[in-house]
Amino acid sequence: MRKILLSVVVSLSLAIVPAVGQAATKKTSRAGSEQQVLVLLNEIRQQHGLSNFTANTQLRNAARFHSADMLERGYFEHDSPNEAWDVRVGRYIKSSMVGEDLAWGTGSYGTPEGIVSQWMHSPTHRAIILTAGLHRVGVGFANGTFDGSAGAVIATADFAA
C-alpha cells in the first residue's frame, strides 16, 4: 500500500469563531463546512485538469473520528497515541493508496477557505490534493477549545484511490 501523509499547523488568527449554541446547529454547520472543503478541493482539481474527488462516507467517518479524537485528547498528529494513521484509516476503507492532510486554526484560518488555502500553500499538502490517483475523500471537522484556543477547528482530510 502506498501511503502519503502530511500535516500542517495552521497559524492561529486573533479572531475567534463564535461558538454555536445548539448541538443540531453544530452538526449542520460541521457538515456544511466539510462539504464546502470538498467543493473547494474539486474546484482546484478541475483547474489542474484532474477528476473530481468523490465524497466517501467511510473516509468521512475516519476523518471525523480522528479530528474529534485529536480535539478531545489534545494532540495534533497523524498517529493517535494508540494507533498508526494508516491502520486507523484501514479500519474504514481498503485502498492501494491513501493519504491524509491535517490542519487546525481559529478565525479565518479555521474556515473551509482558510484550511484549503493553507493546504494549497504547502507543497506537500498540495501534492496530495493534486495526486491524480486519489479519487475519494472524506473530510471531518471538530470544533472546540484546542491548545488553549477557544473556537478552534481541527480538520482531517482522508484520501484514497
Side-chain angles (χ1 to χ4, degrees):
M1 173 190 314
R2 185 170 149 204
K3 301 172 215 160
I4 306 171
L5 104 98
L6 302 166
S7 64
V8 64
V9 177
V10 177
S11 303
L12 296 177
S13 169
L14 293 177
I16 302 298
V17 175
V20 178
Q22 299 176 1
T25 304
K26 283 184 182 182
K27 287 181 182 180
T28 302
S29 174
R30 174 183 71 177
S33 294
E34 294 165 351
Q35 178 62 32
Q36 184 61 28
V37 167
L38 175 62
V39 168
L40 294 169
L41 292 176
N42 282 336
E43 288 174 1
I44 290 164
R45 285 179 65 90
Q46 290 169 7
Q47 292 166 5
H48 289 85
L50 298 169
S51 63
N52 283 348
F53 285 122
T54 300
N56 180 274
T57 301
Q58 290 82 8
L59 289 170
R60 184 198 65 211
N61 291 343
R64 282 182 175 175
F65 172 83
H66 192 56
S67 291
D69 191 54
M70 288 189 290
L71 181 68
E72 181 180 320
R73 295 167 63 178
Y75 69 95
F76 186 73
E77 300 287 336
H78 292 281
D79 296 341
S80 75
N82 304 10
E83 185 172 49
W85 78 276
D86 55 329
V87 173
R88 172 180 41 81
V89 174
R91 283 190 289 120
Y92 291 89
I93 197 162
K94 301 299 177 213
S95 179
S96 59
M97 184 177 9
V98 294
E100 180 171 87
D101 284 350
L102 305 177
W104 80 274
T106 61
S108 63
Y109 291 102
T111 65
E113 295 82 3
I115 288 165
V116 172
S117 176
Q118 292 296 318
W119 285 337
M120 291 306 292
H121 284 94
S122 163
T124 49
H125 293 87
R126 179 184 176 95
I128 289 178
I129 293 165
L130 297 179
T131 297
L134 295 172
H135 302 288
R136 299 175 286 173
V137 67
V139 179
F141 276 31
N143 304 326
T145 299
F146 184 73
D147 197 31
S149 298
V153 175
I154 297 179
T156 301
D158 286 324
F159 303 88

